[in-house]
Amino acid sequence: MITMNDIVREGNPSLREVANEAEVPPTEADKQLLNEMLTFLKNSQDEKKAEEYNLRPGVGLAAPQLAIHKRLVAIHFEDTNGKLYSYGLINPRIVSHSVEKAYLAGGEGCLSVDRQVDGYVPRHARITVKATTQDGEKLKLRLRDYAAIVFQHEIDHLNGVMFYDHINKENPFLVPENAKPIE
Ligand code: SB7
Ligand code: NI
């Protein structure tokens, strides 16, 4: 079972590397890893299990956060309309995006960052993502607002990018141009 002990923190070079493409069709090992990553996310959102295993709640997890240099991402959350986003993704990529941006009004956090980093993280408001699913099928997703932000945070991890890289250095709360806040 994946726990916080498996998650590497800031300073670990794994977080700054460009991860390698994973095999398609997915290997049994990669499928199993994605299932374990999804289980971690579900456990982390379950009050009892999170307390039992000392998990910080997370909506996404990328393989480089486990020091695994592969382009694998797990995502699990419900949006404000109750729509469930639960995916184990292989080689996800953004194939198109809006000009309009969006940022979380409360900023972002990361399971690999054990401190609060204040500031707005400008993201594309809408993206189209292509990926291979855990079952080896091709997937194309159109995402907006919060969902688009989560997917961008995770895909960034595959490229060695951390959320705070996007925060304005002079003024962390500078409202990005052409951007809408997401509450
Ligand atoms: C806020 C939090 C996340 C994504 C976007 C906004 C995910 C946090 C968990 N992770 O560190 C996953 O990489
Ligand atoms: Ni993160």
Side-chain angles (χ1 to χ4, degrees), residues 65 109-112 153-154 157 163:
Q65 294 183 276
C110 181
L111 294 171
S112 296
H153 178 116
E154 301 313 328
H157 277 307
F163 72 92

Side-chain angles (χ1 to χ4, degrees), residues 50-118:
E51 185 177 301
E52 185 178 351
Y53 302 119
N54 245 297
L55 309 177
R56 260 181 70 190
V59 292
L61 186 66
Q65 294 183 276
L66 303 169
I68 297 168
H69 315 271
K70 282 188 193 172
R71 304 186 79 80
L72 301 174
V73 157
I75 285 175
H76 187 85
F77 65 92
E78 243 177 53
D79 71 13
T80 46
N81 297 319
K83 183 171 154 59
L84 179 66
Y85 294 77
S86 190
Y87 296 100
L89 299 179
I90 297 155
N91 304 329
R93 61 186 203 281
I94 296 167
V95 296
S96 69
H97 62 77
S98 61
V99 173
E100 190 189 9
K101 300 206 162 175
Y103 59 94
L104 290 185
E108 295 189 18
C110 181
L111 294 171
S112 296
V113 179
D114 290 324
R115 60 191 172 105
Q116 193 175 316
V117 184
D118 292 326

Side-chain angles (χ1 to χ4, degrees), residues 21-173:
E21 296 272 317
E23 252 181 76
V24 175
T27 63
E28 282 308 313
D30 284 355
K31 285 190 208 180
Q32 198 184 321
L33 174 61
L34 283 168
N35 278 328
E36 285 183 28
M37 289 164 71
L38 277 167
T39 299
F40 166 84
L41 295 176
K42 291 173 195 169
N43 288 344
S44 82
Q45 293 171 35
D46 176 315
E47 217 178 296
K48 284 213 184 77
K49 284 186 175 146
E51 185 177 301
E52 185 178 351
Y53 302 119
N54 245 297
L55 309 177
R56 260 181 70 190
V59 292
L61 186 66
Q65 294 183 276
L66 303 169
I68 297 168
H69 315 271
K70 282 188 193 172
R71 304 186 79 80
L72 301 174
V73 157
I75 285 175
H76 187 85
F77 65 92
E78 243 177 53
D79 71 13
T80 46
N81 297 319
K83 183 171 154 59
L84 179 66
Y85 294 77
S86 190
Y87 296 100
L89 299 179
I90 297 155
N91 304 329
R93 61 186 203 281
I94 296 167
V95 296
S96 69
H97 62 77
S98 61
V99 173
E100 190 189 9
K101 300 206 162 175
Y103 59 94
L104 290 185
E108 295 189 18
C110 181
L111 294 171
S112 296
V113 179
D114 290 324
R115 60 191 172 105
Q116 193 175 316
V117 184
D118 292 326
Y120 298 145
V121 181
R123 303 285 191 184
H124 305 299
R126 294 175 299 284
I127 57 175
T128 302
V129 171
K130 281 189 178 176
T132 300
T133 67
Q134 248 165 315
D135 318 306
E137 263 141 49
K138 281 190 181 154
L139 180 72
K140 183 175 170 179
L141 290 170
R142 288 184 187 82
L143 305 158
R144 56 170 56 236
D145 302 339
Y146 181 71
I149 289 171
V150 172
F151 278 71
Q152 286 171 86
H153 178 116
E154 301 313 328
I155 292 171
D156 267 355
H157 277 307
L158 304 181
N159 295 321
V161 175
M162 301 293 285
F163 72 92
Y164 48 75
D165 298 345
H166 299 292
I167 298 175
N168 186 285
K169 302 282 175 304
E170 280 75 51
N171 177 7
F173 292 105

Side-chain angles (χ1 to χ4, degrees), residues 11-22:
N12 189 304
S14 176
L15 295 172
R16 289 308 194 177
E17 286 167 12
V18 177
N20 300 310
E21 296 272 317

